[in-house]
Amino acid sequence: DQQVKQNSPSLSVQEGRISILNCDYTNSMFDYFLWYKKYPAEGPTFLISISSIKDKNEDGRFTVFLNKSAKHLSLHIVPSQPGDSAVYFCAASERGSGTYKYIFGTGTRLKVLA
Amino acid sequence: NAGVTQTPKFQVLKTGQSMTLQCAQDMNHNSMYWYRQDPGMGLRLIYYSASEGTTDKGEVPNGYNVSRLNKREFSLRLESAAPSQTSVYFCASGSPAAYEQYFGPGTRLTVT
């Protein structure tokens, strides 16, 4: 059973526009969420995170929104740039239980068109 | 500062052969992880080690063993490789103070 789902395998956006990547989860005990970006032939790199006590976290062009009641989070990239083209993974964890495990989604491939 | 390093980068095995994937980190992190990435499956946790001397199973541990050799090193062993273990393997490390994990560049393994 997939606890973290990214239902859009791919997304194409024009340069300068907003990219919105979505992630849904089923485990209400998840209390910490992260987004990673992955380029081909490289390991994932951390992008931004959010704790369940917040509903929004911003870092430059990247904003993550968390809707706990809907068990949904989204990553907004504004403005999108060609260098943002990559696979984006969301991940979730039950930090409050002392576990150090993260469950990853299946990823969304973002293509930013110049 | 090397971060997380993995060896080898590529490996081809025949069914039934064994091999060990090596991982080392120089960030003094307590926790280390092994993931596999398959098309359409995302990153799945194989094993993790919350601290030196401890290891625990993740989502897909069957067919694998791990050793936390010391704080820096965490190895993944395939005792009898199977074609279903063809994948890209990533090692990661993290600490409770730094919520994010840092990943190595990956090992691409093909089992024929």
Side-chain angles (χ1 to χ4, degrees):
Chain A
D1 181 32
Q2 192 86 29
Q3 295 188 67
V4 179
K5 301 177 186 178
Q6 293 177 257
N7 291 319
S8 298
S10 63
L11 174 69
S12 291
V13 171
Q14 282 297 131
E15 181 179 5
R17 305 294 292 266
I18 184 172
S19 295
I20 300 176
L21 295 90
N22 294 305
C23 180
D24 297 293
Y25 60 96
T26 57
N27 186 347
S28 58
M29 299 301 292
F30 287 148
D31 56 6
Y32 203 80
F33 306 88
L34 303 90
W35 285 94
Y36 283 83
K37 179 166 74 172
K38 185 184 180 304
Y39 293 119
E42 294 183 10
T45 55
F46 170 72
L47 198 55
I48 192 168
S49 63
I50 188 166
S51 164
S52 61
I53 62 173
K54 295 185 175 182
D55 53 19
K56 178 182 173 180
N57 189 28
E58 279 182 271
D59 185 1
R61 297 186 296 114
F62 302 92
T63 303
V64 56
F65 295 91
L66 175 62
N67 182 335
K68 288 189 292 291
S69 61
K71 296 191 182 69
H72 176 83
L73 63 155
S74 60
L75 174 68
H76 293 211
I77 307 173
V78 183
S80 301
Q81 299 173 354
D84 296 328
S85 297
V87 177
Y88 289 78
F89 293 98
C90 65
S93 177
E94 296 179 45
R95 300 291 298 195
S97 68
T99 182
Y100 298 95
K101 294 193 298 184
Y102 284 90
I103 305 297
F104 281 77
T106 52
T108 296
R109 183 178 303 277
L110 173 66
K111 189 171 183 179
V112 179
L113 306 169
Chain B
N1 193 349
V4 179
T5 56
Q6 292 182 235
T7 55
K9 285 189 164 47
F10 301 93
Q11 184 71 48
V12 179
L13 291 178
K14 292 189 184 327
T15 297
Q17 288 184 316
S18 62
M19 80 160 294
T20 300
L21 281 66
Q22 306 286 354
C23 174
Q25 54 94 6
D26 62 3
M27 294 173 283
N28 203 34
H29 286 162
N30 291 326
S31 303
M32 297 186 74
Y33 308 80
W34 277 105
Y35 294 90
R36 60 178 287 174
Q37 185 193 9
D38 302 293
M41 302 293 289
L43 289 156
R44 292 183 294 170
L45 183 64
I46 305 171
Y47 269 94
Y48 71 105
S49 171
S51 61
E52 188 179 353
T54 68
T55 60
D56 285 286
K57 295 178 180 178
E59 302 169 76
V60 288
N62 291 344
Y64 305 96
N65 285 302
V66 290
S67 294
R68 183 74 183 266
L69 304 168
N70 47 56
K71 191 170 186 179
R72 288 188 65 246
E73 299 172 287
F74 189 38
S75 62
L76 178 72
R77 182 159 178 84
L78 287 70
E79 289 291 352
S80 179
S84 60
Q85 294 178 305
T86 292
S87 188
V88 181
Y89 290 85
F90 290 101
C91 177
S93 70
S95 70
Y99 293 148
E100 65 266 26
Q101 296 178 352
Y102 294 82
F103 284 80
T107 294
R108 185 174 293 275
L109 175 67
T110 301
V111 182
T112 61

